[in-house]
């Protein structure tokens, strides 16, 4: 018998949302208003990947449109009808649909809730070290560090 | 613009189930009857982790009860009421509940569909190399190799 330090199961919606709404510097952090993340994987002490239950109020977005160099991403829509925006354009998603964003393609993505109803989805991302993210629509570059993301302007100036 | 080699979104239930029902040797493979996996992450070319949409018919199980040495696991229940079995005993899960299985604890887990209705869930596992799995209820040991799992008896004899 092992002594569990973490719960083995939970009602996802009962988990408290993350206190800090966004790690972005301003003016980008304010654009994440209406986005709420519940860190499901962290609750169980998972280290290799994160899983969030994320809720977008009407008008909210999942993130700035971005592409990861090293870390894969995956989303599964539970509720609502978000718009997936990538380099290829916009696509309407619905409950039971999923999307995957392979690292290193350079194709930037995010979800936009352009409806009047909430959007709820699961998002998964691995935690492979040495990641970076690019933002084609914004003057922002992110570099993964051991303590989180370091953000700079495209010219290298830190925020 | 990048040229996508993979789709960026899909209806999860429309993806064909895996052709091979189980990688286990007999007599264990036959015990996986009624389990159907749709490889969602692979569809998008994700390499760092796998995400499956898994369906358990009444009486089916998610896997032999097992513990991973290196790879974390996570499940989110979409439909039905599976029983989660760990070293701590049995716990009833329901839609909107999730469970996480941190690598290296030695606490073995699986889901059992002891109901008359189907169970559907998402399962996530990373693909960190060098994994192994132990099976406290069965004479089986699994070692991760570059081409998949190598299974042996507890005394080291291969199946």
């Amino acid at each position: 018998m092992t002594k569990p330090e973490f719960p083995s199961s939970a009602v996802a919606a009962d988990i408290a949302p993350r206190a800090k709404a966004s790690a972005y510097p301003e003016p980008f952090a304010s654009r994440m208003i209406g986005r709420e993340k519940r860190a499901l994987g962290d609750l169980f002490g998972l280290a290799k990947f994160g899983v969030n239950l994320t809720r977008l109020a009407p008008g909210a977005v999942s993130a700035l449109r971005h592409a990861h160099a090293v870390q894969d991403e995956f989303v599964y829509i539970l509720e609502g009808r978000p718009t997936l925006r990538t380099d290829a354009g916009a696509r309407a998603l619905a409950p039971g649909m999923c999307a995957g964003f392979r690292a290193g393609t350079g194709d930037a993505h995010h979800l936009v809730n352009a409806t009047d109803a909430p959007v709820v989805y699961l998002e998964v991302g691995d935690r492979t070290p040495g990641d970076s993210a690019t933002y084609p629509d914004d003057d922002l570059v992110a570099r993964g560090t051991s303590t989180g993301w370091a953000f700079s302007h495209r010219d290298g100036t830190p925020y």
Side-chain angles (χ1 to χ4, degrees), chain A residues 19-154:
Chain A
K20 190 175 179 184
S22 170
Y24 292 137
E26 292 295 354
F28 307 112
S30 296
R31 287 163 56 186
M32 298 305 118
I33 287 173
R35 182 188 75 176
E36 199 175 66
K37 295 193 182 209
R38 289 173 163 80
L40 308 187
D42 289 353
L43 180 77
F44 303 114
L46 306 189
K48 307 299 195 320
F49 56 87
V51 184
N52 296 324
L53 179 70
T54 302
R55 185 182 187 279
L56 302 181
V61 299
S62 65
L64 301 175
R65 202 164 72 86
H66 69 283
H68 286 278
V70 168
Q71 295 172 352
D72 289 333
E73 273 190 88
F74 176 88
V75 297
Y76 184 95
I77 310 304
L78 295 170
E79 186 184 330
R81 296 182 170 270
T83 304
L84 169 62
R85 289 181 61 232
T86 66
D87 286 358
R91 176 175 294 202
L93 302 184
M97 291 185 73
C98 56
F101 313 107
R102 199 161 49 99
T105 66
D107 191 356
H109 67 276
H110 71 164
L111 300 177
V112 177
N113 182 2
T115 75
D116 293 331
V119 161
V120 181
Y121 58 93
L122 289 174
E123 60 185 359
V124 182
D126 62 275
R127 292 175 171 166
T128 307
D131 195 25
S132 60
T134 51
Y135 301 83
D137 308 331
D138 298 289
D139 177 18
L140 189 68
V141 175
R143 190 171 47 81
T145 74
S146 58
T147 56
W149 292 103
F151 292 100
S152 64
H153 295 266
R154 282 187 189 148

